[in-house]
Amino acid sequence: MKATVLNIAVAASFAAGAAAQPHHHGHHHHKKNLAEKREVETTYVPATVTMYKLGNEDVSAEEAKAGLEKGLYVVVGETTPTFTPPPPPAVTSSSSKEDAVFIQKITSSSSSAYPTTTSSAPAATSSSSGSTSGATGLNAPFPDKTLKCTEFPEQYGAVPLDYLGLGGWTGLQFTPNYKSGDLSISYIETGVKGMQKSSGFYSYACPEGYVKSQWPEAQGSTAQSVGGLRCNEDGYLELSRPSVKTLCEPGIGGVSIKNDMQKNVAVCRTDYPGIESMVIPVDAQPGTTRELANIASSDYYHWGGKPTTLQYYINQPGVSVQDGCLWNCPFDHDECGNWAPTILGVGKAADGNTYISLFPNTPTSSAKPKGMNINITGDVSIPCYFQNGKYAVGDSGCTTTIPSGGKAVIHFTDA
């Protein structure tokens, strides 16, 4: 049984300030708040009106949000029409954006819990024994139909996230009706902790600076993104993108986090394509510098023919990755996880620039970073920061760029 909620956001954009090319941070969220993240640009200030529909009937934002919070629904897709940005350096232009987000009612299972894996994350050049093929590490080709779906493929570079309770996987999308060669996937059930394993797509994390390389050509028929290895009908794992033989691929680099605070900061990337919960952790401990994955959008996953970027949720200082890198954060529900105060968007556009956006997680969350400043430093085109309770450009956040070969550091300091 399915129920859908339509979220229509119409954004009017106005030219303002020094020009830079706007950039999308488009996502198609699964098991997330219905409110879609608005794109944030240095030259435009978006104004958004949101309407929610259940079938053909209007519903309040509170009613829709409550359904997700109680676990009655998961978000299974959205549409993001093409936006054509004005060319740099300076234009006077306007644009509009209409988004649709759908949710699906989920059912729980009382069957035996999905098996878990306990092991450490691999280093980028590590290798280990135990593979049935004898080939191990990030650069090892993955052998189709050799590992069972109950075996997490850590020896091929994937990083298990045991705290999620999904056997190390970042997300499970069960697709019992899907057959190889299908043009789209009509039925997708999002797996949760305790559900019995089934055929479908099993998503995974990669080491810092890397992104997963596997997703099927067929995507959800109602706009869901789908990603990960395929668990076939016989219970074995196989590549869903056979043109790429490894599970992880290196990003293009150029973006890192430096934490000079007294507390850690849990930075959580969305699992995309896939269930799109913010579960892939970067644990920025005090005094450390950590690499963020960055992609050339034109060379990575495309949704509906359009390039995509990466999104990172920045939690309040002191929240662990085990608490903060979850959709429904148990530590301080309205301040972390899906309700984290700030989002960072990263991706290299076709013009050669990497666009880095820092913006509030509104209207999902009303929280603001507490006791911390965030400043994007390095080879940046314009200042972009959150300092002393305010963003650089305005309440909607800011976007800056670095050129090809440039470097940017997301600098966390105590406020």
Side-chain angles (χ1 to χ4, degrees), residues 262-323:
Q262 298 298 310
K263 296 180 179 180
N264 76 291
V265 179
V267 180
C268 313
R269 177 156 54 90
T270 53
D271 181 20
Y272 182 73
I275 64 166
E276 298 191 36
S277 287
M278 56 300 298
V279 296
I280 300 177
V282 177
D283 190 6
Q285 288 291 326
T288 63
T289 297
R290 308 299 293 267
E291 183 179 3
L292 288 186
N294 181 21
I295 56 170
S297 294
S298 61
D299 298 331
Y300 196 59
Y301 172 77
H302 281 59
W303 180 85
K306 296 173 284 292
T308 58
T309 60
L310 304 181
Q311 282 189 344
Y312 295 86
Y313 284 60
I314 301 176
N315 285 279
Q316 300 287 15
V319 177
S320 70
V321 294
Q322 290 82 3
D323 286 334

Side-chain angles (χ1 to χ4, degrees), residues 54 93 103 134 140 186 189-190 211 245 250 264 270 291 347 357 379:
L54 176 61
S93 178
I103 63 173
S186 60
E189 184 177 20
T190 301
V211 290
K245 302 300 182 182
N264 76 291
T270 53
E291 183 179 3
S357 293
D379 303 319

Side-chain angles (χ1 to χ4, degrees), residues 2-23:
K2 296 184 180 179
T4 60
V5 170
L6 175 64
N7 171 2
I8 302 175
V10 181
S13 299
F14 304 95
Q21 180 174 331
H23 188 63

Side-chain angles (χ1 to χ4, degrees), residues 91-411:
V91 299
T92 300
S93 178
S94 64
S95 66
S96 62
K97 175 173 174 249
E98 183 176 276
D99 295 330
V101 176
F102 302 88
I103 63 173
Q104 173 182 303
K105 181 174 288 188
I106 64 172
T107 57
S108 62
S109 170
S110 58
S111 57
S112 60
Y114 188 85
T116 59
T117 304
T118 56
S119 51
S120 58
T125 59
S126 68
S127 63
S128 60
S129 60
S131 168
T132 54
S133 71
T136 62
L138 274 170
N139 297 323
F142 183 79
D144 271 355
K145 304 177 183 179
T146 301
L147 300 183
K148 292 184 178 180
C149 300
T150 53
E151 184 176 355
F152 186 82
E154 183 181 3
Q155 63 269 44
Y156 294 91
V159 178
L161 301 183
D162 297 317
Y163 69 90
L164 296 176
L166 299 176
W169 306 100
T170 58
L172 303 172
Q173 293 175 292
F174 300 139
T175 57
N177 301 328
Y178 171 78
K179 305 294 182 184
S180 295
D182 287 352
L183 299 178
S184 63
I185 304 174
S186 60
Y187 178 82
I188 299 172
E189 184 177 20
T190 301
V192 296
K193 183 177 180 180
M195 290 182 70
Q196 188 174 19
K197 69 97 175 174
S198 175
S199 62
F201 295 88
Y202 289 29
S203 191
Y204 53 90
C206 292
E208 283 184 21
Y210 285 74
V211 290
K212 72 182 175 190
S213 62
Q214 295 300 310
W215 56 83
E217 183 175 354
Q219 296 287 293
S221 61
T222 53
Q224 310 97 314
S225 75
V226 179
L229 287 167
R230 187 187 177 208
C231 174
N232 66 25
E233 295 84 354
D234 297 323
Y236 285 87
L237 295 169
E238 59 187 39
L239 296 172
S240 58
R241 188 182 172 210
S243 61
V244 180
K245 302 300 182 182
T246 57
L247 300 191
C248 299
E249 59 185 79
I252 61 172
V255 184
S256 61
I257 286 176
K258 183 179 181 182
N259 184 9
D260 282 331
M261 300 183 63
Q262 298 298 310
K263 296 180 179 180
N264 76 291
V265 179
V267 180
C268 313
R269 177 156 54 90
T270 53
D271 181 20
Y272 182 73
I275 64 166
E276 298 191 36
S277 287
M278 56 300 298
V279 296
I280 300 177
V282 177
D283 190 6
Q285 288 291 326
T288 63
T289 297
R290 308 299 293 267
E291 183 179 3
L292 288 186
N294 181 21
I295 56 170
S297 294
S298 61
D299 298 331
Y300 196 59
Y301 172 77
H302 281 59
W303 180 85
K306 296 173 284 292
T308 58
T309 60
L310 304 181
Q311 282 189 344
Y312 295 86
Y313 284 60
I314 301 176
N315 285 279
Q316 300 287 15
V319 177
S320 70
V321 294
Q322 290 82 3
D323 286 334
C325 294
L326 296 170
W327 183 79
N328 197 11
C329 171
F331 181 80
D332 188 353
H333 184 271
D334 294 335
E335 299 276 345
C336 58
N338 185 60
W339 290 266
T342 301
I343 297 174
L344 183 77
V346 177
K348 183 178 180 179
D351 64 5
N353 293 312
T354 288
Y355 287 77
I356 307 173
S357 293
L358 185 68
F359 52 100
N361 185 13
T362 56
T364 301
S365 175
S366 60
K368 289 186 176 182
K370 295 178 179 178
M372 72 181 301
N373 293 324
I374 307 171
N375 190 17
I376 304 176
T377 64
D379 303 319
V380 297
S381 58
I382 64 170
C384 183
Y385 54 78
F386 177 87
Q387 289 183 173
N388 301 318
K390 295 183 179 180
Y391 290 91
V393 175
D395 292 342
S396 295
C398 53
T399 297
T400 190
T401 68
I402 57 172
S404 180
K407 303 290 184 183
V409 177
I410 317 301
H411 193 197

